[in-house]
């Protein structure tokens, strides 16, 4: 029998952490060498079970933690020592772990009447963790749960997301302002993953004060684009925020899915017409900027494609094909890493097709990839 939302954590942290496997993987990681780039991602094993893995640039699993249900994105602390994987909506668990394997994992949950949307971000000093959540007993009001790291990720409060369906979030360079992608979709765990308000969606990009929760700026998509759910975020070298969206109507009618905005500048979609709408199957799964912020990449797993954009001009400068590609992360100053649901990890200079390919047998990477070092 499939467990309900709350029972996935029955048995506590020990059910989510395999100490012997973690120790063995840690030894393998030590043998991998210290100079290789490392990445972290939630994943699915070949037998259908779930885990979160640290993988090297050559495709070697360095560390692995078992999960009782599907994880989504991973937040990494500023010093890279801690990582937290969040349950996929409408899950209620998160797992924090030492990326070096020195300490046991910590499992924590949302309070009643809340669930995670799968994303989080640490404060600039690493003392707090902010996570996007759904207050589903208050008409799907979006909130950011605030968790204290030092006290074992105890939830100490929440901030309003100033919208519905907050998905991804991003701490800006000032160390205080958080940008939130409010997807605009009302959901309720009793309805699974069903969207309940497509006719009245109001997607928005919100900038808020992470200390007070005050609204700093809000950019709302115009009425004709109300079904373009804003989902994923990154910032370029100038601090401008880039987003990828998911179209909630027929794919053939999809507008451009990629755009940008700033605190004082309205949303502007990239020029690209059908190629960046229906050509991406109406769905962007992840966005990331290169280490120097000079290239922005957006993945479209349903289309098996990644597009690369010059943020200075807003123009597409390249495209790469890879089946079921979704995860994107900077790999070095000159390279970006891509991961797929087929367990493929590709690393190369964007937007060149010159790249190294590694396959991790028996593993399917989930939607997001984060760099730990390299």
């Amino acid at each position: 029998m499939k467990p309900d939302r709350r029972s996935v954590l029955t048995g506590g942290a020990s059910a989510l952490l395999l100490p012997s496997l973690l120790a063995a993987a840690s030894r393998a990681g030590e043998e991998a060498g210290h100079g290789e780039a490392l990445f972290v991602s939630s994943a699915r094993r070949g037998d259908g079970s779930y885990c979160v893995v640290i993988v090297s640039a050559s495709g070697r699993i360095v560390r692995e933690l078992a999960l009782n249900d599907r994880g989504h994105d991973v937040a990494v602390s500023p010093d890279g020592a801690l990582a937290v994987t969040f349950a996929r909506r409408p899950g209620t668990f998160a797992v924090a772990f030492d990326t070096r394997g020195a300490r046991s994992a910590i499992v924590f949950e949302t309070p009643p009447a809340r669930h995670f949307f799968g994303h989080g971000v640490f404060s600039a000093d690493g003392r707090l963790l902010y996570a996007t959540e759904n207050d589903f007993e208050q008409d799907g009001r979006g909130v950011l749960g605030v968790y204290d790291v030092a006290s074992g990720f105890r939830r100490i409060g929440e901030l309003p997301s100033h919208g519905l369906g907050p998905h991804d979030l991003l701490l800006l360079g000032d160390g205080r302002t958080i940008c939130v992608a409010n997807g605009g979709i009302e959901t309720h765990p009793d309805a699974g993953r069903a969207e309940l308000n497509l006719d009245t969606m109001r997607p928005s990009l919100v900038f808020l004060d992470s200390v007070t929760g005050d609204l700093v700026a809000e950019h709302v998509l115009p009425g004709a684009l109300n079904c373009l759910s804003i989902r994923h975020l990154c910032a370029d070298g100038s601090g401008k925020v880039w987003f990828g969206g998911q179209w909630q109507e027929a794919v053939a009618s999809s507008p451009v899915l990629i755009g940008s905005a700033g605190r004082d500048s309205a949303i502007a979609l990239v020029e690209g017409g059908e190629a960046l709408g229906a050509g991406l199957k109406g769905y962007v799964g992840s966005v990331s900027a290169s280490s120097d912020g000079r290239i922005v990449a957006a993945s479209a797993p349903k289309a098996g494609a990644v597009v690369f954009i010059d943020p200075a001009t807003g123009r597409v400068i390249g495209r790469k094909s890879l089946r079921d590609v979704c995860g994107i992360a900077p790999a070095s100053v000159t390279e970006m890493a891509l991961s797929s649901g087929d367990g493929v990890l590709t690393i190369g200079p964007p937007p060149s097709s010159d790249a190294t390919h590694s396959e991790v047998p028996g593993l399917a990477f989930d939607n997001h990839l984060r760099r730990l070092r390299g």
Side-chain angles (χ1 to χ4, degrees), residues 138-158:
Q138 297 293 326
D139 299 320
R141 181 179 69 99
V143 300
L144 306 186
V146 184
Y147 296 82
D148 179 60
V149 175
S151 62
F153 292 88
R154 179 174 60 90
R155 196 176 192 274
I156 59 173
E158 63 184 36

Side-chain angles (χ1 to χ4, degrees), residues 6 30-31 66 77-78 115 133 156 174 261 265 284 286 304 323 356:
R6 289 280 175 185
E30 291 169 1
E31 296 169 2
S77 64
H115 68 66
E133 299 175 5
I156 59 173
D174 63 7
S265 57
V284 166
S286 186
R323 196 167 79 96
T356 60

Side-chain angles (χ1 to χ4, degrees), residues 290-292 295 331-336 348-350:
S290 58
S291 292
D292 59 10
I295 294 177
S332 68
V333 175
T334 60
E335 296 179 316
M336 295 190 78

Side-chain angles (χ1 to χ4, degrees), residues 17-106:
L17 178 63
L18 299 179
S20 61
L21 179 59
L22 178 60
S26 295
R27 289 192 295 272
E30 291 169 1
E31 296 169 2
H34 297 291
E36 198 172 14
L38 295 180
F39 304 91
V40 60
S41 176
S42 296
R44 186 184 70 250
R45 300 191 189 99
D47 63 4
S49 61
Y50 297 103
C51 59
V52 57
V53 296
I54 296 175
V55 62
S56 71
S58 60
R60 178 180 296 192
I61 295 179
V62 175
R63 296 188 180 93
E64 178 176 350
L65 283 77
L67 301 175
N68 276 9
D69 211 334
R70 181 176 174 180
H72 191 60
D73 196 11
V74 181
V76 179
S77 64
D79 63 2
L82 285 174
V84 178
T85 184
F86 298 91
R88 179 177 184 250
R89 174 178 72 85
T92 61
F93 74 89
V95 182
F97 58 97
D98 186 325
T99 60
R100 300 155 299 185
R103 294 172 288 178
S104 297
I106 297 172

Side-chain angles (χ1 to χ4, degrees), residues 258-291:
I258 306 165
S260 65
R263 270 173 289 202
D264 301 317
S265 57
I267 290 174
L269 298 181
V270 174
E271 294 183 5
E274 185 177 337
L276 296 186
L280 299 182
K281 304 296 184 184
Y283 187 102
V284 166
S286 186
V287 294
S288 179
S290 58
S291 292

Side-chain angles (χ1 to χ4, degrees), residues 6 19 104 176 186 264 297 339 359:
R6 289 280 175 185
S104 297
R176 178 157 177 162
E186 181 183 353
D264 301 317
S339 60
E359 186 171 349

Side-chain angles (χ1 to χ4, degrees), residues 219-252:
H219 303 304
V220 180
L221 287 171
L225 298 176
N226 77 295
C227 285
L228 179 57
S229 182
I230 300 175
R231 294 296 181 93
H232 297 111
L233 305 173
C234 71
D236 65 23
S238 72
K240 183 186 297 183
V241 174
W242 289 79
F243 67 86
Q246 297 171 7
W247 184 240
Q248 300 302 309
E249 293 190 332
V251 168

